[in-house]
Amino acid sequence: MTEPVGMGAGAVAGLAASNDAMQGIISAANSGSFRVTPEAGDELIRIFEDFEDELRNMDSDLDALTRKTPLGDSPAGQAISEFNKEVAAGQDGRSYQEMIKQMQDRIPQVIEAIKKGIQSYREVDEGNAGGLSGQK
């Protein structure tokens, strides 16, 4: 009976970790310390675009998650049902719904950060190539 609680909390924790990782990419690119090859960067962009589509699908499933789980009238059933509802759609900044929204908002920023990382890689690569051609 407590399994939905653990699964819900685990899903939110997973989304929070992904959200933090996305912010890490953005921060690294903004500081100039993120470089990625064009091939890898293009693949990452594709992955994040696919992820954005998946988040849209998750968003449409939230309606079912935000309803109370029918676990009976017992105090335990009511408590678990209410907890599941809070995990799905609570207003504490850590709910499933809020994490999805934050990630949806952050994906365009991540894609721009990856593009910066590609540009940074190219600049370093061109600088290195120029330095090597000047040496004889």
Side-chain angles (χ1 to χ4, degrees):
M1 206 181 223
T2 60
E3 188 175 336
V5 172
M7 289 184 347
V12 172
L15 287 175
S18 297
N19 201 20
D20 290 346
M22 290 168 60
Q23 183 56 50
I25 292 171
I26 295 166
S27 297
N30 287 338
S31 72
S33 62
F34 177 71
R35 291 182 192 90
V36 62
T37 65
E39 297 80 16
D42 290 343
E43 180 65 14
L44 283 171
I45 289 170
R46 187 191 62 74
I47 289 168
F48 276 103
E49 288 172 341
D50 290 347
F51 187 44
E52 188 172 32
D53 291 339
E54 289 299 318
L55 287 173
R56 268 191 231 105
N57 293 336
M58 290 172 152
D59 198 31
S60 66
D61 293 337
L62 278 173
D63 184 47
L65 292 173
T66 58
R67 288 186 231 130
K68 289 183 92 172
T69 310
L71 296 174
D73 293 330
S74 72
Q78 291 295 314
I80 292 170
S81 179
E82 189 58 37
F83 180 79
N84 286 347
K85 184 177 172 186
E86 278 297 310
V87 167
Q91 300 300 313
D92 62 358
R94 300 177 314 197
S95 72
Y96 186 72
Q97 185 176 35
E98 290 170 315
M99 285 286 123
I100 288 175
K101 175 70 173 124
Q102 287 175 17
M103 292 174 81
Q104 287 171 330
D105 293 345
R106 194 159 279 155
I107 284 180
Q109 297 170 9
V110 171
I111 290 172
E112 284 306 309
I114 293 168
K115 289 176 181 178
K116 280 184 188 178
I118 292 170
Q119 184 59 37
S120 180
Y121 176 87
R122 285 185 174 138
E123 289 169 1
V124 168
D125 193 45
E126 289 169 7
N128 289 341
L132 289 176
S133 66
Q135 295 177 347
K136 291 194 176 192

